[in-house]
Amino acid sequence: MRSQSCNGEGMYEVSENNMTQDVDSYFKSAFHQIRSAPGLIIPSLISSALSSAVGWAIILTVLVLSLPLLAEVAPIVEQNQDLISEIIGEEHLEDDIDPKIEELVEEFSGLVPVMIALFIMFLIVLCVIWIIYFALYAWVYAGTIGYLWQGITTTTDFRNFLYYAKKYSFRIMGLWILVYIFSIVLFLVPFFILVFVPSPANIAIFVLSIILCIILWLVVMVLLFFAEECIVIEGMGVIGSVKRSKDIVNGNIGSVLIFILILIVAFIAFFVTEGIFEVIALLFNSSLTPFFMLFIIVILVPWIQLSKLNFFLDRTGVEVKEMDKEIEIIKTVREFIARSPYILIDFIRKNKVYLLAALSVYGIGVGIGYYMGHSFSFLSEETMMVLSEGWGEQRWLGPYISMPLIDTIYYFSNNIGVSMNLGLSGIFLGVPTIAGGIVNAAIIGMFYGIVPAETATAFIAVHGIPECMALVIATAAGIKLGVKIMGSPENGAEALMETLEVVLATSLLLCIAAFLEAFVTPIVISLMF
């Protein structure tokens, strides 16, 4: 390990006298750190929750903005249902053949101004969501580096995440904005060449300049490899972090390139493996994508983050503490599953107000979804026909249209991801949790609005009871986290650990729900059809 000293200007100088670790040792250390301190994966879970929050916000925006159009569009579709079906079925139907088509076009044309206004509103909201996401992602990234740094050198206290997120998020944003401006300006140059250089030379120069710009951009990105770490760990400004990262990379260029190469190989190996298993699952009319997404969030991302951090700390002479012995995962999981019912019961008993708030959120979502679905309830017969024909044609093993065991993994992985995102997104003041609850409930309400209640119940009720219980509890935990995080960091840190424990405990309910959805629900549906 190299030694580190601080000069009079606050800049860190690294002694080259001591030996540094091999590049592959950083990846090995990262895996050991995760096995020894699973709490190090928390920042990755929060980052995933933020990404889901953006998706929920966009979907909720679409739902809300589409409500004014439903009262206008639904009657037109109902009155011209046969004509619309004919138009969809005919590939070469000309508008002037039937006067009814002209009338239909005129009716929809009257809605164009409203649709344009709503689309403009959607674009404005989308820009606002993107700006908020950019700021929050910088906040999460700064907190992630600070939390992981303290976690492998001192202690895994979540207050460190909140402290470093608040202190350095604006500098991280400044760095990223600088990178975006540089990238935009750099890649605009070839297009200016294409416009201002006379033909035919402009084409050749344009292609050459694109290649040169890509090479230059990659070089700059490599030189900025440690810029964020310099900001958070060494407390530097934006320009200082750029210079510092450049110096570290220049002094360790071979190791940096080997590190990046190992990352590329790891990604290729992972996605090839995922592709093989996904093809196998598709052969059985199923999917394993949610399982691999969960693996990325829980294992792959924290492993990469810690490996890079180990690299930076070693090359700047910062000591990393010796981790305790690795946790026995099987034993720990078994003990936690045994405690899960008591964790859920205790949370329900002590948090009735938050549970009522979560139920209210789901009630609003079901109401919105039912209103939207009921507006097109005249399509119920067609929907039932599609469902019955599709179910009958795809069945290949008794009542099943796919392999139940693979489906169990699919449903569980997908739902535990949703549960974690609902709970942990509460760290963003609870707003994404509420949005996510409304969106998930709206899907159920929409289904009940379109098809008959007995059909919707057959599709949902068997597995839906434990699944909805789990999601409502996760939503309640997220709302509580949002309320607590508005207070002191101490309350926020304590509430986050409680939320994480409750969300993981819901996996017991979600496992039951996944089994029922894969093995029992298809039997109920097949009996109905």
Side-chain angles (χ1 to χ4, degrees):
M1 190 80 70
R2 288 190 287 186
S3 61
Q4 175 181 266
S5 61
C6 184
N7 61 23
E9 298 178 351
M11 300 292 287
Y12 288 86
E13 296 176 343
V14 181
S15 171
E16 301 287 347
N17 296 327
N18 299 326
M19 294 295 292
T20 56
Q21 300 178 35
D22 294 331
V23 175
D24 61 339
S25 67
Y26 306 132
F27 295 94
K28 296 175 183 177
S29 297
F31 186 73
H32 173 66
Q33 288 159 349
I34 293 173
R35 289 286 303 272
S36 301
L40 294 172
I41 73 173
I42 291 176
S44 177
L45 301 180
I46 294 175
S47 181
S48 172
L50 177 58
S51 299
S52 293
V54 172
W56 291 331
I58 293 173
I59 294 172
L60 185 59
T61 301
V62 173
L63 292 178
V64 172
L65 291 179
S66 65
L67 290 177
L69 278 175
L70 288 179
E72 303 290 338
V73 173
I76 297 175
V77 175
E78 183 174 9
Q79 293 171 8
N80 299 275
Q81 186 176 349
D82 295 336
L83 181 60
I84 292 174
S85 299
E86 184 180 350
I87 293 173
I88 294 174
E90 294 289 341
E91 297 182 358
H92 305 290
L93 190 64
E94 298 180 3
D95 289 354
D96 58 353
I97 291 179
D98 193 339
K100 293 182 180 180
I101 296 179
E102 295 181 359
E103 294 177 7
L104 181 62
V105 171
E106 288 180 5
E107 288 187 84
F108 277 115
S109 298
L111 300 177
V112 169
V114 177
M115 295 175 66
I116 292 175
L118 291 175
F119 182 70
I120 292 173
M121 291 177 62
F122 173 72
L123 291 180
I124 293 172
V125 174
L126 194 63
C127 290
V128 172
I129 292 173
W130 187 88
I131 292 170
I132 294 173
Y133 171 71
F134 180 77
L136 288 177
Y137 188 65
W139 185 82
V140 170
Y141 202 88
T144 297
I145 295 174
Y147 175 81
L148 295 180
W149 167 41
Q150 293 297 324
I152 63 177
T153 56
T154 55
T155 180
T156 52
D157 188 338
F158 190 71
R159 285 172 294 185
N160 291 326
F161 180 98
L162 300 175
Y163 171 78
Y164 288 102
K166 180 179 179 181
K167 186 172 183 180
Y168 293 110
S169 59
F170 286 104
R171 297 187 194 180
I172 296 289
M173 285 177 61
L175 174 66
W176 290 350
I177 291 172
L178 185 64
V179 171
Y180 289 152
I181 293 173
F182 165 77
S183 301
I184 292 170
V185 172
L186 179 65
F187 286 103
L188 280 178
V189 171
F191 293 95
F192 281 111
I193 292 174
L194 186 63
V195 172
F196 293 107
V197 174
S199 180
N202 59 347
I203 301 298
I205 297 176
F206 171 77
V207 173
L208 180 61
S209 61
I210 283 286
I211 296 172
L212 292 176
C213 286
I214 292 174
I215 294 173
L216 178 59
W217 186 85
L218 290 174
V219 170
V220 171
M221 292 304 104
V222 171
L223 293 176
L224 295 177
F225 192 66
F226 295 117
E228 290 95 344
E229 285 77 10
C230 293
I231 289 175
V232 178
I233 297 175
E234 298 186 345
M236 295 185 170
V238 174
I239 302 303
S241 68
V242 171
K243 295 178 180 177
R244 174 66 171 155
S245 177
K246 177 179 67 68
D247 292 340
I248 297 174
V249 171
N250 282 337
N252 300 274
I253 187 62
S255 298
V256 170
L257 293 177
I258 293 174
F259 186 91
I260 294 173
L261 179 61
I262 293 175
L263 285 182
I264 293 172
V265 172
F267 272 112
I268 292 173
F270 171 79
F271 286 113
V272 168
T273 303
E274 179 192 12
I276 292 172
F277 279 96
E278 186 64 18
V279 168
I280 295 173
L282 288 173
L283 293 175
F284 294 101
N285 203 28
S286 190
S287 174
L288 287 173
T289 298
F291 172 78
F292 284 101
M293 288 299 299
L294 195 63
F295 180 86
I296 289 173
I297 295 166
V298 175
I299 303 296
L300 191 60
V301 170
W303 176 65
I304 293 172
Q305 290 172 336
L306 285 167
S307 300
K308 184 182 176 187
L309 187 61
N310 285 324
F311 190 1
F312 176 82
L313 294 179
D314 178 51
R315 298 308 166 110
T316 55
V318 179
E319 293 288 342
V320 175
K321 70 176 182 180
E322 289 291 332
M323 285 288 183
D324 297 331
K325 64 178 182 179
E326 295 182 353
I327 293 174
E328 298 179 32
I329 296 178
I330 303 295
K331 179 181 177 182
T332 303
V333 170
R334 188 169 59 245
E335 292 174 351
F336 185 82
I337 291 174
R339 289 195 304 115
S340 292
Y342 303 100
I343 293 172
L344 295 177
I345 292 171
D346 187 58
F347 179 81
I348 293 171
R349 184 172 57 85
K350 294 180 179 179
N351 297 279
K352 295 183 177 64
V353 174
Y354 294 109
L355 284 168
L356 287 174
L359 287 171
S360 300
V361 167
Y362 276 78
I364 293 171
V366 169
I368 293 174
Y370 185 82
Y371 171 74
M372 298 182 70
H374 189 67
S375 299
F376 293 94
S377 59
F378 56 86
L379 298 174
S380 177
E381 292 184 5
E382 288 77 3
T383 304
M384 289 291 295
M385 187 179 299
V386 170
L387 289 175
S388 62
E389 290 178 355
W391 196 269
E393 291 175 359
Q394 294 184 52
R395 282 190 294 171
W396 58 275
L397 181 62
Y400 302 112
I401 63 174
S402 55
M403 182 67 72
L405 181 60
I406 299 177
D407 286 345
T408 301
I409 298 172
Y410 172 87
Y411 294 136
F412 176 75
S413 301
N414 181 72
N415 290 333
I416 192 62
V418 173
S419 180
M420 286 194 298
N421 291 335
L422 283 171
L424 295 180
S425 62
I427 196 173
F428 308 109
L429 307 182
V431 175
T433 302
I434 295 173
I438 292 175
V439 169
N440 282 282
I443 296 172
I444 298 174
M446 198 177 301
F447 194 54
Y448 268 94
I450 294 177
V451 303
E454 60 273 15
T455 303
T457 302
F459 272 88
I460 295 175
V462 175
H463 66 275
I465 294 174
E467 182 178 313
C468 289
M469 286 175 58
L471 296 183
V472 168
I473 291 172
T475 302
I479 293 173
K480 180 179 180 180
L481 175 59
V483 172
K484 295 295 183 181
I485 208 73
M486 296 179 191
S488 64
E490 289 76 13
N491 291 337
E494 182 181 347
L496 182 125
M497 300 312 296
E498 179 191 21
T499 300
L500 185 60
E501 185 178 55
V502 170
V503 165
L504 291 177
T506 62
S507 62
L508 179 62
L509 290 171
L510 294 174
C511 185
I512 296 171
F515 176 83
L516 293 174
E517 188 171 4
F519 284 91
V520 180
T521 296
I523 297 175
V524 176
I525 296 173
S526 65
L527 291 175
M528 168 167 284
F529 287 126

